[in-house]
Amino acid sequence: MDDTPSNGLTFDLDRITSSVSDHHRIPPFMESSSHEFCHDRQINEVDFFNDQKLSIGSSSNFTRHKQSSSVNINTCLNLVTGNTSSDQSIIEDGMSSYSEEERTKHELATVQAEYERTSGENQRLKEALNKVIIDYKTLEMHFATILQYKREEKSVEDRDGRRSTMGPRSIMDLALAAEPNENSHYSSEERSHSPINKNNSMDDNNRKIDQSTEATIRKARVSVRARSEASVITDGCQWRKYGQKMAKGNPCPRAYYRCTMAAGCPVRKQVQRYAEDKTIVITTYEGNHNHPLPPSAMAMASTTSSAARMLLSGSMPSADGLPNSNFLSRTLLPCSSNMATISASAPFPTITLDLTQTPNPFQSPFNSSNPNTMSQIFGQSLYNQSKFSGLQMSQGDPQARMADTVSALRADPNFTAALATAISSMISGGTSDDFHGSNNKASNSNFQGN
DNA sequence: CGCCTTTGACCCGCGC
DNA sequence: GCGCGGGTCAAAGGCG
């Protein structure tokens, strides 16, 4: 934060003082630096009235004394004021010049006081505005979370009522359906014609709206692009590879992973190298974890979860049923829209976080060495994000900063949403080497929200 | 032995 | 209806 007010209420001291000097012909030593003059004004006044008390023993005092003296004895200032001839009653002698200068000083003091008062008020208004913005975004996040919880509860109730008639695959489908962006095996049309939905056909308009929107947002995905020499990005979760396919238009195969941290966890991810730059790994996450996550996985999980929630909540207000990318850009990606993209096109709404672009100009302590884990990377992201959002972080110890970032992640869902912004504002090549030395078999870890 | 990866087969949606 | 492509399954084999 600089001292210059920036929200409309600005005060150009240079212009003010130069204007004053133009009209009152302030001596050159006063014009040389208007700010210096303002800052030294009090001292000069004190020197002026305590002239006799000054000691000439020190050169600095002596210099000041000389300056004060020059102010005192300069009777040839020839000050030109706005006074007209009607003001000729004022005696045009040294005292008159002195009065004019004193008046100028007084005006400057008044202006300075006004400037300081306005700056303070401006600062208070900025703080109030920031608080309102933060509160607004927090409420936005809470609203999206509540909507998701309501859908989850509804899905769980449906599942509990029908489990006895389901085969294993159906159970998996329902587990996927526990999340609003899930259910990968049946199209919305099939679901609408299934016995389940026939038995539960609603005459409730809200329900219909909910179903129509669900159809478009069911498969929300979060895609992360990062540079890495390794085939996958470690994120703290355990994954099991269950398939691999050659994708069209890409010589590199696409690998399919399933979360194995808990039975029935619906989270899946796809890993594929970017065709045009094979140093870039594209990891796409789908679904939310239905089990506790280790701390090392929390950062990525919270991030992608928040991104997905924002993606889903961004879908809600859209009249055409498509995700409202403008809403998302405003809320989730306020300062890095060029690095995070949202695709509202079929088949699934996808938010892409690009970690491969220009390194962040901010150099936090985390940058002193290459981050080796996703937690570090995201801790760095959070640290950088905190600079954007003005959040308070611990100073000094990087470990303390990391603790702060983790605490913030856990405590504030809005903060995790904002993390998506930070992700895209930093990291270049930071994800490589993440797996070197780690379990080369089952530790393919990425992140996903729960 | 348990868990993993590999890989061909299969299912499904979509476009023509 | 057919072919294509994406996604998943499951048997086979490897590894600790």
Side-chain angles (χ1 to χ4, degrees):
Chain A
M1 283 289 187
D2 60 14
D3 295 329
T4 304
S6 58
N7 282 357
L9 294 175
T10 59
F11 232 92
D12 192 339
L13 257 185
D14 289 332
R15 181 169 300 178
I16 292 168
T17 51
S18 64
S19 172
V20 169
S21 62
D22 286 344
H23 289 90
H24 300 278
R25 297 195 182 181
I26 292 175
F29 79 90
M30 295 174 71
E31 292 182 338
S32 60
S33 171
S34 58
H35 290 292
E36 276 183 23
F37 168 71
C38 291
H39 291 153
D40 292 337
R41 178 178 50 79
Q42 296 296 332
I43 294 174
N44 287 338
E45 286 180 357
V46 170
D47 290 347
F48 179 86
F49 290 111
N50 296 279
D51 196 24
Q52 300 302 321
K53 297 177 183 177
L54 283 174
S55 165
I56 61 173
S58 76
S59 58
S60 60
N61 282 346
F62 180 69
T63 303
R64 239 192 293 175
H65 176 74
K66 280 184 64 179
Q67 287 181 347
S68 299
S69 298
S70 68
V71 172
N72 289 339
I73 65 177
N74 183 6
T75 58
C76 304
L77 290 175
N78 191 24
L79 293 175
V80 178
T81 70
N83 293 344
T84 63
S85 56
S86 63
D87 296 327
Q88 293 298 320
S89 60
I90 299 175
I91 300 172
E92 292 184 347
D93 58 9
M95 291 302 292
S96 167
S97 300
Y98 164 73
S99 297
E100 292 301 325
E101 185 170 338
E102 193 175 35
R103 184 189 304 172
T104 300
K105 281 185 176 181
H106 183 264
E107 288 175 356
L108 280 173
T110 304
V111 168
Q112 173 76 3
E114 180 70 11
Y115 166 73
E116 289 173 356
R117 188 190 64 79
T118 307
S119 295
E121 186 176 347
N122 193 18
Q123 189 63 32
R124 284 192 296 274
L125 288 171
K126 285 167 67 177
E127 290 171 359
L129 178 62
N130 286 336
K131 187 175 184 308
V132 168
I133 291 173
I134 291 172
D135 290 346
Y136 170 72
K137 290 188 175 181
T138 302
L139 284 173
E140 232 173 24
M141 283 298 303
H142 289 173
F143 179 66
T145 304
I146 289 170
L147 284 178
Q148 182 180 356
Y149 287 163
K150 286 185 67 178
R151 283 194 294 271
E152 287 176 0
E153 284 180 3
K154 204 175 297 180
S155 298
V156 168
E157 288 173 5
D158 292 345
R159 175 174 49 193
D160 291 343
R162 300 180 198 115
R163 178 170 295 170
S164 58
T165 63
M166 301 262 170
R169 181 153 180 163
S170 297
I171 292 174
M172 177 174 285
D173 290 342
L174 287 170
L176 295 172
E179 300 298 332
N181 56 342
E182 291 303 336
N183 200 338
S184 60
H185 298 297
Y186 301 117
S187 67
S188 57
E189 186 179 359
E190 285 173 320
R191 280 188 301 273
S192 66
H193 290 86
S194 70
I196 294 174
N197 282 331
K198 283 180 179 176
N199 292 339
N200 292 276
S201 61
M202 295 290 177
D203 51 3
D204 184 342
N205 287 335
N206 291 335
R207 175 72 176 188
K208 288 177 182 176
I209 293 172
D210 193 44
Q211 285 178 336
S212 65
T213 53
E214 264 190 45
T216 62
I217 66 178
R218 193 175 305 279
K219 295 275 287 183
R221 292 178 172 180
V222 179
S223 181
V224 178
R225 307 206 309 181
R227 292 189 186 277
S228 175
E229 295 174 2
S231 58
V232 290
I233 299 173
T234 299
D235 59 11
C237 291
Q238 289 184 332
W239 302 91
R240 178 174 181 172
K241 190 176 183 178
Y242 66 89
Q244 180 169 306
K245 288 277 288 189
M246 293 301 298
K248 187 182 180 183
N250 193 332
C252 303
R254 175 183 299 162
Y256 299 89
Y257 294 88
R258 179 181 294 143
C259 177
T260 59
M261 291 193 75
C265 179
V267 176
R268 296 174 189 206
K269 74 172 181 181
Q270 302 173 8
V271 179
Q272 186 173 32
R273 291 206 171 272
Y274 189 41
E276 297 177 6
D277 185 352
K278 293 183 174 56
T279 64
I280 297 176
V281 174
I282 304 172
T283 308
T284 303
Y285 296 90
E286 182 184 325
N288 293 326
H289 294 285
N290 60 0
H291 54 83
L293 290 168
S296 58
M298 280 299 295
M300 291 289 270
S302 298
T303 299
T304 55
S305 177
S306 296
R309 269 201 291 269
M310 293 301 289
L311 191 61
L312 299 182
S313 63
S315 305
M316 295 303 184
S318 174
D320 56 7
L322 292 174
N324 188 338
S325 57
N326 288 336
F327 170 79
L328 288 162
S329 299
R330 287 197 310 271
T331 56
L332 180 62
L333 314 163
C335 59
S336 61
S337 58
N338 59 326
M339 295 183 181
T341 58
I342 298 163
S343 171
S345 60
F348 316 116
T350 302
I351 181 170
T352 301
L353 307 178
D354 194 343
L355 311 188
T356 67
Q357 298 191 14
T358 309
N360 193 290
F362 296 126
Q363 292 297 316
S364 79
F366 297 106
N367 282 342
S368 57
S369 61
N370 288 333
N372 291 322
T373 70
M374 266 303 174
S375 295
Q376 281 180 285
I377 293 169
F378 277 76
Q380 183 174 348
S381 301
L382 285 167
Y383 175 79
N384 289 334
Q385 173 63 19
S386 71
K387 293 188 174 187
F388 283 114
S389 58
L391 294 172
Q392 296 299 315
M393 305 289 287
S394 299
Q395 300 297 317
D397 183 12
Q399 293 298 326
R401 284 201 182 99
M402 176 64 72
D404 278 342
T405 61
V406 173
S407 299
L409 254 178
R410 291 175 175 170
D412 188 351
N414 183 55
F415 191 73
T416 63
L419 172 60
T421 300
I423 298 168
S424 56
S425 70
M426 57 153 296
I427 304 174
S428 179
T431 57
S432 60
D433 302 329
D434 193 11
F435 329 93
H436 302 169
S438 65
N439 185 349
N440 61 357
K441 226 182 163 188
S443 64
N444 312 329
S445 311
N446 267 328
F447 51 83
Q448 182 60 312
N450 54 352

